[in-house]
Amino acid sequence: MAISRRHALRASLLGSAGAALATAAPASAWAEPDAPFDGGARQALRLLKEGNRRWRRFASRHPNEGRNRRIEVAQGQNPFALVLGCADSRVPPELVFDRGLGDLFTVRSAGEVLDSSVLGSVTYAVEHLEVPLIVVLGHSSCGAVSAAVDTHRTGELPHGHVGYLVEQILEVVEATPDEGGDFLDACVRANAVHVADLLRTDDELRPFVESGRLDIVPARYDLNGYGVDWL
Ligand SMILES: [Zn+2]
């Protein structure tokens, strides 16, 4: 079902040649907010923005959690977006975007730091699940970025695995001008933009971006206002 909708929508985007297929898609696919179609990055981004608007207003609908959806996703997954977010417990993508089962392929690491495992997970979703949109979701008061700011200021690197994380973020912090405002937040934004750039230029992901099959968008979630800034 999901796959046929994907093909129908893509056909409709190709113009009249796909008109017959496009009309085969149920009209409800366009109007039903709880059954997202996955025609591409623009539609995916719109669904995320709508979901965050509901979350921000305490009007979440918790879509796609019911029995039918559970039965449907047991047959396979067809997520319409990938969210690479921080591991922070206060920023679960399904909640802040008000989505449900099978909607979002989520990959989380502190500070959205990339390593081979994270890149492997992201690439799997792009290559095999044909996810059309990646959102790199940083957030205000990020502890991982804050630790990198501390290292930048003190010269002291945390030991072990946490030190590895901080090292990955440190280059962004060092490249961000400290203009006396909210330096941590400037680094949070710069880090999300940087990670998005790394993904766009990755050898295995770049062909998907260049051919228009994949959009990558950095963003920042606000722990106080509950909204997402699109960077
Ligand atoms: Zn964080």
Side-chain angles (χ1 to χ4, degrees), residues 86-88 110-112 139 141-145:
C86 182
D88 193 298
E112 312 91 71
H139 65 97
S141 305
C142 180
V145 178

Side-chain angles (χ1 to χ4, degrees), residues 4 28 61 64 68 89 99 101 109 126 131-132 139 157 173-174 199 231:
S4 68
S28 62
R61 286 204 292 254
N64 292 336
N68 288 344
S89 63
R99 297 308 323 180
L101 288 176
S109 67
V126 171
V131 168
H139 65 97
L157 186 69
V173 172
E174 290 176 340
L199 292 175
L231 307 174

Side-chain angles (χ1 to χ4, degrees), residues 92-139:
E94 281 85 355
L95 287 181
V96 304
F97 291 118
D98 191 26
R99 297 308 323 180
L101 288 176
D103 289 339
L104 305 178
F105 194 97
T106 58
V107 183
R108 298 175 70 176
S109 67
E112 312 91 71
V113 164
L114 300 177
D115 64 9
S116 293
S117 295
V118 170
L119 279 169
S121 301
V122 168
T123 305
Y124 170 78
V126 171
E127 287 186 348
H128 296 275
L129 304 178
E130 300 179 27
V131 168
L133 174 70
I134 296 175
V135 175
V136 179
L137 186 64
H139 65 97

